[in-house]
Amino acid sequence: MKRSSSRFASPRRVLLAGASLSLLIPAAALAQSETGEAERPEDRDVIIVTSSVLRTTTDEVTGAVEVVDQRHIEDNLAGSLADTIAHEPGVSTTYFGPAASRPVIRGLGADRVMVLVNGTGLIDASTASPDHAVQSEALEAEQIEILRGPAAIAYGGGAIGGVVNVIDGRIPHAPVDGLVDGRIYLGATSVDEGRTAAARARIGAGPFVFTAEVMNRTAEDYDIPGYAESELYRLLEEEEHHDDSRPAVALEEDDHEDEAIGTAENTWLDTQSASVGVSLVQDWGFVGIAYRSSESEYGVPGHAHHDEEDHHDDLLPSFAAAEAEEETVYIDMVQNRWDVRGEVDLPGGVPLDSVRFSLGMADYKHTEIEGGAVGTLFTNEGWEGRVEGRFEPVTLGAGTWEGAVGVQAFRRDFAALGDEAFVPASVTEDQGIFTVQRWDAGDWGLEGGLRLEQRDLSSVAGDRDFSTVSASGSVFFRPVRDQFFAVTLSRSERAPTDVELFADGPHPATSSYEVGDASLDVETALSLEFTARTPVFGGDLEAAVFRAEFDGFIGLFPTGAEIDELPVFEFRAVDATFTGFEARFERELGQLHGWDLSGELMAEYVRGEIDGGGNLPLIPPLSISGGLTASTDRHELHASLEWADVQNETAAFELKTQSHVLANARWTWQPFTERDVRFILEGRNLTDEEIRVHTSVLKDRLPLPGRNFRAAIVYSF
């Protein structure tokens, strides 16, 4: 098929142009700033990045960071956590249906992107397979912090690609303003007859703050604009099953009579969670404990079971399963979790200024139900804890020095039992120690970090242990007011996971037979990143250009063999390179008939290549989006367009993905001055376009939902 026409000659040319723009912008911004025409307001909000060990503000972080607040989450709610933040620069989603999606950052996912709750791991099974849901909901978050690029210094090798940290507020860190406060969210969606309800309350009782929270999300199978299978996939199926003895019309009728049209089958969900917590809040800090229980049932789309009479050839890509007899499959998931968190300001006379700590303990299990019978049981029991100590800032030479040290450890006992237990039971133990130091002289400064980590993996298939060292160094500059530029060089190491080492069995989620390699060694990434935050052309620009060279990148690659009618994929290490950029430009546009106008432009691109030739799979294409907002004291209108280019820089076993344009619009109304009540009316995919996410293994059998309208009410008290 022809590539979509565009004014952009090629993604490679766009990448070069983006890099050049990021390097040229400082000069233009400097000229504007000197005249005072492009300075941002002095009273702008200062946002502390909780995920930063040094508690740095968003304007001062040396890497690329995005902080999403609660109102932004409510306005852009799109089901799962990953789908809700997928519109942020550099972020995409694995999209295995509306229940099971995981964030992808700069083309990296699974164990290379760490999803955290208040700085500790989820202790679920979401990294083991794309059909396993993340145990965190977007509506539970007060704030979501996205660290793009290596964050392995503070969080270990599992953050070699980035971090998504959900700050949920179940353990309060501040007193209640008054006796009680809270929030209620009620919403409904048309495309899936979805219903969502969430409520949170905090009650102050002297120095104690009590919290309670409930959330429920249900949906039926969602509507799609046409076939569930992509056009190219259907053409290959027709070619595979072609029979010259039948007329062409009969061929077409037979080939498509059982295909899903208009509805994405088995995409229903029913999930709920409840939590309680209590904190002691004093002048010296806080300490608290919380308990959360969650249950979820959801259909697994595209879950195919192959019978012995199925025959396949090499026409169809392995990640898009060929014709198969399918049974209804759904997952029944339960997690119970305890969390303890605190932060204590230490008295003078000691080197440390403050200490914060967190501990999470969870019991997780999910059962895959196939045709009414139990198929496979996954369990994960474990704990994770970390302690961070921040030093009192001191004057050192012409600048100020501050630093922090920390320790982190976890233990996870993972098991899979049943017909589709493609990985044996294993125990993973991990311990790490790290430090981050920063020297700031005002106009410029230095930041560096070091982490030492030890991982021990034991399984019936064998035992392995790994020692990793990660380090980073940054130079940052502030040429004039409101400008911040940084160059960061980092070397990050990641130990292999139990799946990568010991997998040996059929994996229906990827329609393949997966084989691990117990001899795999540590994966190393050498990354260089340039970050800019600067006023330019009357607005604010944040941009990053990056390159990461992987030595021993562990991927899943086809062997050409078959076992039980499934193509065999094996984990092996290759050298690979990721190159790309992301940028966001925001500007106030003045007033029109009493409405304040503002605009936003975003662009992102990443290229994943195997050194020596070939492309890595599941890499998102170039995308560009723009939005226009008009607001008054009580109303806000927002319209956006997102264009994604065709992705034809594919791996050998992938089909290309066509380009698309996603059109959204939203109206928010706050009718009362004395009460914080907001009404939200949103339309997504207004043109009812067929949209497929290239980072999803199901993208040729499962498009995104069609035209959807959401109505919601949010009451904060």
Side-chain angles (χ1 to χ4, degrees):
M1 296 182 182
K2 292 181 62 178
R3 183 183 178 88
S4 299
S5 61
S6 155
R7 59 190 172 129
F8 298 95
S10 70
R12 184 181 298 276
R13 192 169 299 173
V14 172
L15 174 60
L16 295 175
S20 301
L21 178 63
S22 296
L23 294 174
L24 291 174
I25 277 172
L30 178 60
Q32 290 190 8
S33 183
E34 287 175 345
T35 63
E37 296 177 358
E39 292 183 353
R40 289 175 288 184
E42 292 182 11
D43 58 351
R44 67 187 185 278
D45 292 336
V46 176
I47 302 174
I48 303 296
V49 182
T50 308
S51 305
S52 167
V53 179
L54 298 176
R55 282 69 142 185
T56 314
T57 65
T58 52
D59 288 345
E60 300 291 317
V61 176
T62 54
V65 64
E66 199 74 38
V67 176
V68 180
D69 63 21
Q70 183 171 284
R71 177 163 179 155
H72 186 85
I73 295 168
E74 294 164 352
D75 287 347
N76 294 275
L77 187 67
S80 72
L81 170 68
D83 298 337
T84 298
I85 64 174
H87 65 284
E88 300 296 334
V91 183
S92 49
T93 170
T94 59
Y95 199 72
F96 209 98
S101 298
R102 209 172 189 279
V104 175
I105 297 179
R106 295 178 175 177
L108 297 172
D111 193 58
R112 296 182 182 90
V113 171
M114 193 170 284
V115 182
L116 309 171
V117 176
N118 304 310
T120 57
L122 296 177
I123 314 178
D124 58 15
S126 61
T127 61
S129 178
D131 62 332
H132 299 171
V134 168
Q135 281 298 294
S136 181
E137 290 285 336
L139 272 181
E140 294 177 332
E142 292 184 341
Q143 180 171 294
I144 301 174
E145 299 176 350
I146 305 166
L147 307 183
R148 301 187 296 264
I153 301 303
Y155 294 102
I160 200 170
V163 164
V164 175
N165 191 13
V166 177
I167 312 301
D168 61 19
R170 287 197 299 266
I171 298 177
H173 63 274
V176 175
D177 185 11
L179 178 64
V180 61
D181 66 20
R183 179 195 57 154
I184 298 173
Y185 175 97
L186 299 172
T189 49
S190 64
V191 75
D192 55 4
E193 300 181 16
R195 302 292 183 268
T196 302
R200 170 187 296 160
R202 298 191 304 174
I203 301 173
F208 294 97
V209 180
F210 297 87
T211 66
E213 183 174 6
V214 293
M215 193 280 300
N216 179 261
R217 183 161 64 100
T218 63
E220 302 297 327
D221 293 347
Y222 65 76
D223 298 333
I224 55 177
Y227 288 103
E229 295 179 348
S230 67
E231 181 181 4
L232 183 54
Y233 183 87
R234 286 182 285 117
L235 288 173
L236 290 177
E237 281 188 319
E238 289 176 7
E239 185 174 350
E240 180 184 5
H241 298 291
H242 183 69
D243 184 349
D244 291 334
S245 64
R246 292 181 293 161
V249 174
L251 277 173
E252 184 175 353
E253 290 176 352
D254 289 348
D255 286 342
H256 300 309
E257 63 181 359
D258 295 327
E259 290 182 10
I261 304 175
T263 302
E265 297 178 349
N266 211 28
T267 55
W268 59 272
L269 63 90
D270 184 355
T271 181
Q272 52 272 325
S273 65
S275 66
V276 292
V278 60
S279 286
L280 172 64
V281 181
Q282 295 281 265
D283 293 339
W284 45 260
F286 76 97
V287 61
I289 186 171
Y291 172 77
R292 176 181 183 267
S293 179
S294 63
E295 298 181 4
S296 183
E297 291 185 354
Y298 60 90
V300 182
H303 198 293
H305 297 268
H306 298 254
D307 61 38
E308 295 180 357
E309 296 180 358
D310 286 329
H311 300 284
H312 311 298
D313 56 25
D314 294 331
L315 289 174
L316 292 173
S318 300
F319 276 171
E323 252 342 277
E325 179 183 348
E326 296 191 10
E327 298 175 348
T328 299
V329 178
Y330 71 94
I331 285 178
D332 185 355
M333 179 182 296
V334 178
Q335 187 192 55
N336 297 309
R337 175 178 175 124
W338 288 91
D339 282 279
V340 177
R341 283 203 313 129
E343 183 169 351
V344 178
D345 295 330
L346 299 179
V350 297
L352 293 178
D353 175 58
S354 64
V355 173
R356 66 178 178 182
F357 57 89
S358 57
L359 173 66
M361 299 166 287
D363 183 358
Y364 167 94
K365 69 177 181 179
H366 85 244
T367 305
E368 296 186 359
I369 311 296
E370 305 171 2
V374 174
T376 308
L377 172 67
F378 290 85
T379 64
N380 195 4
E381 298 179 5
W383 58 268
E384 180 171 342
R386 62 186 287 125
V387 179
E388 301 171 5
R390 186 173 61 170
F391 293 101
E392 180 79 30
V394 298
T395 300
L396 182 63
T400 301
W401 169 81
E402 59 180 334
V405 296
V407 295
Q408 181 180 5
F410 70 75
R411 185 183 192 276
R412 293 168 191 169
D413 191 342
F414 176 82
L417 305 171
D419 295 337
E420 295 173 5
F422 66 100
V423 61
S426 63
V427 175
T428 303
E429 295 181 330
D430 198 287
Q431 305 89 34
I433 182 170
F434 59 90
T435 182
V436 177
Q437 308 291 324
R438 181 173 175 129
W439 180 77
D440 192 340
D443 293 342
W444 71 287
L446 302 171
E447 183 174 307
L450 177 68
R451 182 183 179 101
L452 308 178
E453 196 165 2
Q454 175 69 33
R455 172 169 293 185
D456 297 304
L457 246 162
S458 59
S459 166
V460 294
D463 299 338
R464 291 293 307 275
D465 61 87
F466 303 91
S467 297
T468 59
V469 180
S470 297
S472 69
S474 302
V475 182
F476 57 88
F477 305 92
R478 302 184 190 90
V480 293
R481 181 183 172 188
D482 291 337
Q483 287 187 339
F484 186 87
F485 304 102
V487 179
T488 301
L489 179 66
S490 59
R491 184 183 184 277
S492 306
E493 294 187 338
R494 181 183 74 92
T497 66
D498 52 349
V499 175
E500 294 166 337
L501 291 170
F502 305 129
D504 187 7
H507 192 186
T510 57
S511 301
S512 62
Y513 191 102
E514 295 184 8
V515 178
D517 183 354
S519 66
L520 287 172
D521 207 345
V522 169
E523 176 183 277
T524 303
L526 184 64
S527 305
L528 179 65
E529 179 170 344
F530 171 73
T531 306
R533 301 182 189 96
T534 178
V536 61
F537 305 132
D540 291 320
L541 173 75
E542 180 173 358
V545 179
F546 61 88
R547 182 178 178 87
E549 297 181 351
F550 281 80
D551 180 8
F553 181 90
I554 301 172
L556 196 57
F557 299 98
T559 65
E562 286 189 358
I563 297 179
D564 295 333
E565 305 292 339
L566 286 172
V568 178
F569 276 62
E570 66 180 8
F571 286 99
R572 63 172 182 262
V574 299
D575 293 339
T577 302
F578 289 78
T579 310
F581 74 92
E582 65 245 349
R584 183 200 298 268
F585 175 72
E586 298 173 309
R587 179 177 175 175
E588 302 295 328
L589 300 176
Q591 284 193 334
L592 180 65
H593 301 298
W595 292 78
D596 295 322
L597 303 180
S598 62
E600 178 183 64
L601 286 173
M602 293 185 291
E604 60 182 85
Y605 175 73
V606 62
R607 179 85 162 91
E609 300 175 279
I610 300 174
D611 296 357
N615 301 310
L616 290 168
L618 306 178
I619 302 298
L622 167 72
S623 68
I624 299 173
S625 63
L628 180 65
T629 302
S631 60
T632 65
D633 290 341
R634 297 190 180 184
H635 298 272
E636 182 178 279
L637 301 174
H638 178 78
S640 65
L641 285 175
E642 176 188 313
W643 170 80
D645 196 6
V646 62
Q647 180 56 291
N648 53 15
E649 295 171 336
T650 58
F653 49 88
E654 286 185 307
L655 295 179
K656 72 176 182 179
T657 303
Q658 299 300 321
S659 72
H660 68 256
V661 176
L662 175 64
N664 301 326
R666 182 180 67 247
W667 169 51
T668 304
W669 176 38
Q670 191 165 342
F672 309 113
T673 56
E674 68 279 6
R675 292 182 179 178
D676 189 359
V677 178
R678 293 194 306 124
F679 293 91
I680 302 170
L681 181 61
E682 181 186 31
R684 299 182 65 86
N685 193 8
L686 292 173
T687 58
D688 203 25
E689 184 161 352
E690 180 180 305
I691 298 175
R692 299 182 184 273
V693 180
H694 193 80
T695 46
S696 168
V697 298
L698 285 185
K699 58 102 174 176
D700 284 297
R701 290 184 291 155
L702 186 68
L704 292 185
R707 184 184 296 110
N708 181 32
F709 294 99
R710 176 173 67 107
I713 179 172
V714 184
Y715 174 40
S716 300
F717 56 90

